[in-house]
Amino acid sequence: MNPLEGIRVLEVAMYGFVPSAGAVLAEWGADVIKVEHAVTGDPQRGLRQTGMLRVEGDPNPNIEHANRGKRSIGLDMSVPEGKEVLHELARRSDVFLTSFLPDARQKFGIDVDDIRAVNPNIIYARGSALGPRGSESDKGGYDMTAFWCRAGTAATITPMGYEGMINPPGPAFGDTISGTNLAGGIAAALLKRERSGEPSVVDVSLLGSGVWSMGHTVALTNHLGQLLQAPPAGVHGSPINPLVGVYPTADGRHISLVMMQPGKYWADVCKHIDRPDLIDDPRFADAERIAANTAEAVEILKKVIATRTLAEWSERFATLAGPWAPVQDTLQVAADPQIRANEYIVRAGELDLAANPVQFDVTAPQTGPAPGFAEQTDEILLELGLDWDRIIELKTAGAVT
């Protein structure tokens, strides 16, 4: 049994952030009904160009990632018949999940009080750009603006001397992280309601998630009154530890070493790179002297690691005691046997998708493809007890698609 089996989520949301929360809840077993505009659907369906990458035809990963495993109904909330259907769905739901801004929620009559008037026990979950309070709470935004730029990541990750700003590594980076946060908040609210009988209003913003993601750095820099700045490109990772940094291999790949206790791991690294002479080298006799001679150690390691390919080092480092990893792109990630062994990438219809990172009972989530636009409208209306005559009337009136 999945942990959220029997829970129904009514999702009135668009784009990537809040729908990704619905995707996580669906993978945890919830029945997630995605309400889409009766004519245009979720605008995310039209996203074909992402950076230099363009998708032609279907399936479209730009819609599939955040909408896997859901059901879709086309609904016009602006007409009385459509609002009646929405209210019937809300009565039968445990969670109302929305990305709509305050003005839009009021316009369509889907704010907290409106939905609670229909279902007093429903958990009301909102995803926003900048949070529910403050002078900018009514403003929209994207993960690029609220999560990446405003919350400090862009400025912190951009190297000194770099012209411009480092962009996010891919589409929906902050959306997906924030959506997972929102799903966790909803799960906690469900537990609270079960124990106390009290439903909650759950808020997660892109800005808040961005600040939380940078939380360690925010605490450190504010305590010291200093900024943490990324070094110029190509500079070794740690100025006091040669075993924390990235080293190029003979085939143009890179290896990341992160051994925070150099004195503990130095001898083992020397054995694995066929340089046992360095074990007793007085320059590297203990952690203090390793720190003092980091620049020399880095140059030695660079020269040695550059003599073999990543595949050769991977074989040699299989018994290395300290943490290390190959630097991988997303195509290499998808082929990584450790990732596949843990089913961190799962099949959803015709696509391989990254699974949400939470597994229950050492089992990967079961998921399915994103629904087509309004694909389950008839099915959902029949479940509400409507007969075909009424369904045809609603379609004729343009209330549903």
Side-chain angles (χ1 to χ4, degrees):
M1 178 179 177
N2 290 316
L4 294 186
E5 191 170 318
I7 297 296
R8 172 171 284 178
V9 177
L10 184 58
E11 177 189 298
V12 181
M14 300 182 291
Y15 299 109
F17 164 26
V18 174
S20 70
V24 173
L25 297 171
E27 288 195 339
W28 291 348
D31 174 21
V32 180
I33 296 177
K34 180 179 181 67
V35 174
E36 302 192 57
H37 186 281
V39 177
T40 60
D42 186 337
Q44 188 83 352
R45 292 187 182 275
L47 181 61
R48 295 288 174 175
Q49 186 84 30
T50 306
M52 301 299 292
L53 301 180
R54 182 168 181 82
V55 178
E56 301 290 353
D58 292 321
N60 180 4
N62 294 305
I63 191 70
E64 296 283 336
H65 168 70
N67 292 285
R68 65 190 72 185
K70 301 176 185 178
R71 298 194 288 164
S72 169
I73 180 172
L75 188 63
D76 185 350
M77 299 185 299
S78 68
V79 300
E81 297 91 340
K83 189 167 291 185
E84 178 186 332
V85 172
L86 184 77
H87 286 171
E88 278 303 315
L89 288 169
R91 281 190 189 95
R92 300 161 186 245
S93 296
D94 298 280
V95 179
F96 186 87
L97 175 62
T98 187
S99 64
F100 280 38
L101 291 169
D103 285 350
R105 296 199 303 266
Q106 292 171 15
K107 173 185 175 182
F108 291 111
I110 58 169
D111 221 336
V112 179
D113 292 341
D114 303 308
I115 299 301
R116 287 269 172 86
V118 175
N119 182 349
N121 294 317
I122 201 165
I123 290 162
Y124 192 98
R126 305 178 289 208
S128 64
L130 303 174
R133 291 173 290 176
S135 62
E136 298 178 75
S137 60
D138 58 346
K139 292 183 178 180
Y142 293 94
D143 64 340
M144 176 71 164
T145 58
F147 180 98
W148 187 257
C149 292
R150 191 160 183 177
T153 300
T156 305
I157 202 172
T158 300
M160 293 180 287
Y162 182 90
E163 287 190 19
M165 179 196 71
I166 296 293
N167 288 321
F173 182 74
D175 287 339
T176 303
I177 294 170
S178 303
T180 307
N181 294 344
L182 182 52
I186 290 167
L190 286 166
L191 178 61
K192 175 193 169 187
R193 189 184 67 177
E194 180 180 321
R195 289 181 169 178
S196 69
E198 298 176 6
S200 298
V201 175
V202 181
D203 280 294
V204 171
S205 71
L206 292 167
L207 181 61
S209 292
V211 173
W212 171 245
S213 298
M214 289 293 292
H216 189 154
T217 305
V218 169
L220 181 66
T221 57
N222 278 271
H223 175 67
L224 298 176
Q226 302 173 25
L227 289 176
L228 179 65
Q229 294 183 306
V235 172
H236 176 75
S238 170
I240 58 170
N241 186 350
L243 301 185
V244 175
V246 177
Y247 292 93
T249 60
D251 54 346
R253 298 289 299 278
H254 291 81
I255 288 174
S256 171
L257 304 179
V258 183
M259 303 177 200
M260 304 295 286
Q261 299 163 284
K264 176 180 178 180
Y265 294 111
W266 179 255
D268 189 48
V269 170
C270 293
K271 292 175 186 175
H272 279 80
I273 64 173
D274 285 340
R275 288 295 305 271
D277 57 297
L278 296 173
I279 295 174
D280 296 320
D281 190 314
R283 294 173 297 174
F284 315 121
D286 52 37
E288 289 74 19
R289 276 175 276 191
I290 291 172
N293 295 289
T294 288
E296 293 176 67
V298 166
E299 288 306 310
I300 293 170
L301 290 174
K302 275 185 179 178
K303 289 177 181 177
V304 174
I305 292 176
T307 63
R308 290 185 170 91
T309 66
L310 176 62
E312 291 173 311
W313 285 120
S314 295
E315 185 176 351
R316 282 173 166 264
F317 285 179
T319 56
L320 188 62
W324 72 278
V327 176
Q328 300 190 138
D329 60 34
T330 51
L331 294 178
Q332 292 157 352
V333 165
D336 188 317
Q338 185 65 17
I339 289 171
R340 289 294 182 173
N342 283 282
E343 297 181 272
Y344 295 147
I345 294 178
V346 294
R347 195 70 176 171
E350 300 176 46
L351 289 177
D352 282 347
L353 299 178
N356 88 81
V358 180
Q359 294 189 356
F360 299 95
D361 304 314
V362 201
T363 302
Q366 300 298 308
T367 193
F373 166 55
E375 183 178 350
Q376 289 83 21
T377 294
D378 292 350
E379 173 186 305
I380 293 167
L381 294 176
L382 289 169
E383 288 176 2
L384 293 180
L386 303 184
D387 59 27
W388 281 109
D389 288 341
R390 181 55 179 158
I391 292 172
I392 292 170
E393 288 175 1
L394 291 171
K395 290 188 175 184
T396 303
V400 300
T401 303

